[in-house]
Amino acid sequence: MPAPQGRDTIAAIATAPGAGGVGIVRLSGPASRAIAEGICARRLLPRLAVHARFRDDDGHTLDDGIVLWFAAPASYTGEDVVELQAHGSPVVLAQLLQRCVRLGARPARPGEFTERAFLEGKLDLAQAEAVADLISAGSQAAARAARRSLDGEFSRRVDALVEQLTQLRMYVEAALDFPDEDIDFLAAPELGDRLRATRESLAVLVREAGRGKRLMDGLHVVIIGAPNVGKSSLLNALADEDRAIVSDIAGTTRDLLRETLDLEGVLLTLVDTAGLRDAPDSIEAEGIRRARAELQRADVVLAVLDDDDAKLPADLAGEIPEGARVLWLHNKADLRSHASGVVQIDHFSVSARTSLGLDKLRARLRELAGGEGGGSFSARARHLDALAQARICLDRASACLDANQAELAAEELRQAQLALGQITGVMDADTLLGRIFSGFCIGK
Ligand code: GDP
């Protein structure tokens, strides 16, 4: 099959950092093979790795290595792709790239190889984004999730939902197209059942995508509590290093302390707050303002108390955002001689000093971060926005159907489908594509 026409040929250095000596210059586009044959001064056969000398314009050897040609369409981008595998010298790789450019290639923009793979139908948009997410994954669980999205798991779920929506639309559109028929399409019980099932599927997908995003971003955990209950000490105990300044004087944690932990494969950002109290001085007040902002975006709040039956000060309790999961930490358990009376779910008897109970807490955090149970796929804020939009449209469609407004319902269903289409890129504006692929690294 001939190489796709109408596109230029791009080239980039695509080297894994610290790859131990190998550097790759990758080409994609119709002229890739000719350029590579010019550099290697030999003919190439598809998918046959050969050793070659890479020559400069004057025939001098720049380096030697492996050259590999993937003929279109059986390549990453769907175009003719060539990889020149050289020694990982940045100087040599730059020279090789320049030689490619002199022979007709253009330096690739970040993410342009993957963008072409998308444009050639090799990947849908969610899969293409998963390539970047896989590369930037900060933990094993995140990498696994990105790998699942790259394999199309998320896209398949979205497509299944789109299919459900299509079926729904058929019913509603039929009611519009054949208003005089005997059958009352809108009153058909199947329509209500399908609508309910679709909304349920969407709700499940929203939850799972939220989990996927948390896995990628890491869980945002904020520690709050009255002064001196041991917030900084707990952060240190969890982070296993002396990051926060621990002191007996109330109010010493003036700034927000932040630790990113890798909890056996799950990323976790821990933020220790200055006590959310009315502060006498301005530095403390600034700390409080920032703590409030952190709390607003918390996935999990660790509310620290210094006894089994202590309570969070009322002003602090009032700051916990709706929807955040609260774990109650009854700290300083080492000072209590009696057995812990803490038996409620999400209450933990812990000691920052002796690390008592911290393993259970870690396990719970890991669970909340989505690292347990497997099966998650990666997701981004863009996907969650699209799902939320689809949800709003479906809610409205449901209300319209209840009010017998078939035309409005049909439009809402169409809008829901459009919103979902944005996830996999079925119907996307170029501007959106530009935004997404510019977040990639060069050579991908
Ligand atoms: P914060 O103001 O809530 O951040 O509290 P700190 O972490 O600064 O701790 C206040 C005091 O309590 C310090 O003297 C700590 O050594 C002490 N402390 C913290 N956690 C524990 C604990 O688990 N057991 C005991 N015995 N003391 C603790």
Short mmCIF file of all heavy atoms in Angstrom, two decimals, residues 226-233 246-248 253 272 331-332 334-335 351-353, ligand 1:
data_model
loop_
_atom_site.label_atom_id
_atom_site.label_comp_id
_atom_site.label_asym_id
_atom_site.label_seq_id
_atom_site.Cartn_x
_atom_site.Cartn_y
_atom_site.Cartn_z
N ALA A 226 -6.68 20.74 65.18
CA ALA A 226 -6.33 21.83 66.10
C ALA A 226 -4.81 21.89 66.27
O ALA A 226 -4.12 20.91 65.95
CB ALA A 226 -7.02 21.57 67.44
N PRO A 227 -4.29 22.99 66.76
CA PRO A 227 -2.85 23.08 66.96
C PRO A 227 -2.37 22.00 67.92
O PRO A 227 -3.08 21.65 68.86
CB PRO A 227 -2.65 24.47 67.60
CG PRO A 227 -3.90 25.22 67.31
CD PRO A 227 -5.00 24.22 67.14
N ASN A 228 -1.18 21.48 67.64
CA ASN A 228 -0.50 20.54 68.53
C ASN A 228 -1.09 19.14 68.64
O ASN A 228 -0.71 18.38 69.52
CB ASN A 228 -0.41 21.12 69.95
CG ASN A 228 0.90 21.83 70.15
OD1 ASN A 228 1.85 21.56 69.41
ND2 ASN A 228 0.96 22.72 71.11
N VAL A 229 -2.02 18.81 67.74
CA VAL A 229 -2.55 17.44 67.80
C VAL A 229 -1.57 16.46 67.15
O VAL A 229 -1.70 15.25 67.30
CB VAL A 229 -3.93 17.30 67.12
CG1 VAL A 229 -5.01 17.98 67.95
CG2 VAL A 229 -3.90 17.84 65.71
N GLY A 230 -0.61 17.01 66.38
CA GLY A 230 0.40 16.14 65.77
C GLY A 230 0.31 16.04 64.26
O GLY A 230 0.75 15.05 63.67
N LYS A 231 -0.21 17.08 63.61
CA LYS A 231 -0.37 17.04 62.14
C LYS A 231 0.98 16.93 61.43
O LYS A 231 1.17 16.05 60.59
CB LYS A 231 -1.10 18.32 61.66
CG LYS A 231 -2.51 18.45 62.21
CD LYS A 231 -3.21 19.67 61.67
CE LYS A 231 -2.54 20.98 62.06
NZ LYS A 231 -2.54 21.22 63.54
N SER A 232 1.90 17.83 61.82
CA SER A 232 3.22 17.80 61.15
C SER A 232 3.92 16.49 61.45
O SER A 232 4.58 15.91 60.57
CB SER A 232 4.08 18.95 61.64
OG SER A 232 3.36 20.14 61.62
N SER A 233 3.80 16.02 62.68
CA SER A 233 4.46 14.76 63.04
C SER A 233 3.91 13.62 62.20
O SER A 233 4.66 12.74 61.76
CB SER A 233 4.24 14.45 64.52
OG SER A 233 4.58 15.55 65.31
N VAL A 246 8.65 20.35 63.64
CA VAL A 246 7.73 19.97 64.71
C VAL A 246 8.07 20.78 65.95
O VAL A 246 9.22 20.93 66.33
CB VAL A 246 7.85 18.47 65.01
CG1 VAL A 246 6.85 18.06 66.08
CG2 VAL A 246 7.62 17.67 63.75
N SER A 247 7.06 21.31 66.59
CA SER A 247 7.32 22.17 67.76
C SER A 247 6.13 22.11 68.70
O SER A 247 5.02 21.80 68.31
CB SER A 247 7.57 23.59 67.27
OG SER A 247 7.01 24.50 68.16
N ASP A 248 6.39 22.42 69.96
CA ASP A 248 5.32 22.39 70.96
C ASP A 248 4.52 23.68 71.00
O ASP A 248 3.49 23.75 71.63
CB ASP A 248 5.92 22.13 72.35
CG ASP A 248 6.06 20.64 72.59
OD1 ASP A 248 5.26 19.89 72.01
OD2 ASP A 248 6.96 20.24 73.33
N THR A 253 3.25 25.79 62.46
CA THR A 253 3.15 25.35 61.07
C THR A 253 2.54 26.49 60.26
O THR A 253 1.37 26.48 59.97
CB THR A 253 2.29 24.08 60.96
OG1 THR A 253 2.73 23.17 61.95
CG2 THR A 253 2.43 23.42 59.63
N ASP A 272 -0.12 19.61 54.71
CA ASP A 272 -0.36 19.91 56.11
C ASP A 272 -0.78 21.38 56.18
O ASP A 272 -0.18 22.23 55.56
CB ASP A 272 0.94 19.68 56.88
CG ASP A 272 0.80 20.03 58.34
OD1 ASP A 272 -0.34 20.18 58.81
OD2 ASP A 272 1.85 20.15 59.01
N ASN A 331 -4.73 10.54 67.13
CA ASN A 331 -3.27 10.47 67.26
C ASN A 331 -2.84 10.34 68.73
O ASN A 331 -3.66 10.44 69.65
CB ASN A 331 -2.67 11.73 66.63
CG ASN A 331 -1.17 11.63 66.48
OD1 ASN A 331 -0.64 10.54 66.28
ND2 ASN A 331 -0.47 12.75 66.58
N LYS A 332 -1.56 10.14 68.91
CA LYS A 332 -0.92 10.01 70.22
C LYS A 332 -1.45 8.80 70.98
O LYS A 332 -1.60 8.81 72.21
CB LYS A 332 -1.09 11.29 71.06
CG LYS A 332 -0.64 12.56 70.30
CD LYS A 332 -0.46 13.76 71.18
CE LYS A 332 -0.11 14.98 70.33
NZ LYS A 332 0.11 16.20 71.08
N ASP A 334 0.06 6.28 71.61
CA ASP A 334 1.10 5.75 72.51
C ASP A 334 0.94 6.28 73.94
O ASP A 334 1.44 5.69 74.88
CB ASP A 334 2.49 6.11 71.97
CG ASP A 334 2.65 7.61 71.77
OD1 ASP A 334 1.94 8.18 70.91
OD2 ASP A 334 3.46 8.21 72.46
N LEU A 335 0.24 7.41 74.08
CA LEU A 335 0.05 7.99 75.42
C LEU A 335 -1.14 7.37 76.15
O LEU A 335 -1.36 7.62 77.31
CB LEU A 335 -0.16 9.50 75.32
CG LEU A 335 0.99 10.32 74.76
CD1 LEU A 335 0.65 11.80 74.73
CD2 LEU A 335 2.26 10.08 75.59
N SER A 351 -0.29 6.62 66.08
CA SER A 351 0.71 7.40 66.80
C SER A 351 1.79 7.82 65.82
O SER A 351 2.43 6.97 65.19
CB SER A 351 1.34 6.57 67.91
OG SER A 351 2.52 7.22 68.36
N ALA A 352 1.96 9.13 65.70
CA ALA A 352 3.02 9.62 64.83
C ALA A 352 4.37 9.26 65.44
O ALA A 352 5.35 9.08 64.73
CB ALA A 352 2.91 11.13 64.66
N ARG A 353 4.40 9.15 66.76
CA ARG A 353 5.68 8.88 67.43
C ARG A 353 6.13 7.44 67.23
O ARG A 353 7.29 7.19 66.95
CB ARG A 353 5.55 9.20 68.92
CG ARG A 353 6.85 9.06 69.66
CD ARG A 353 6.88 9.87 70.93
NE ARG A 353 6.93 11.31 70.68
CZ ARG A 353 6.80 12.23 71.63
NH1 ARG A 353 6.61 11.86 72.88
NH2 ARG A 353 6.86 13.51 71.34
P1 GDP B 1 0.68 20.14 64.87
O1 GDP B 1 0.65 21.50 65.45
O2 GDP B 1 -0.69 19.55 64.82
O3 GDP B 1 1.38 20.05 63.57
O4 GDP B 1 1.46 19.22 65.92
P2 GDP B 1 2.99 18.74 65.88
O5 GDP B 1 3.20 17.69 64.88
O6 GDP B 1 3.86 19.94 65.84
O7 GDP B 1 3.08 18.02 67.30
C1 GDP B 1 2.82 18.70 68.51
C2 GDP B 1 3.47 17.97 69.68
O8 GDP B 1 2.87 16.68 69.85
C3 GDP B 1 4.95 17.71 69.50
O9 GDP B 1 5.61 17.86 70.71
C4 GDP B 1 5.02 16.26 69.05
O10 GDP B 1 6.23 15.65 69.40
C5 GDP B 1 3.86 15.68 69.80
N1 GDP B 1 3.30 14.49 69.13
C6 GDP B 1 2.88 14.40 67.85
N2 GDP B 1 2.43 13.18 67.58
C7 GDP B 1 2.59 12.45 68.71
C8 GDP B 1 2.32 11.08 69.08
O11 GDP B 1 1.82 10.26 68.30
N3 GDP B 1 2.60 10.72 70.33
C9 GDP B 1 3.13 11.58 71.24
N4 GDP B 1 3.40 11.12 72.45
N5 GDP B 1 3.41 12.85 70.94
C10 GDP B 1 3.14 13.30 69.70
#
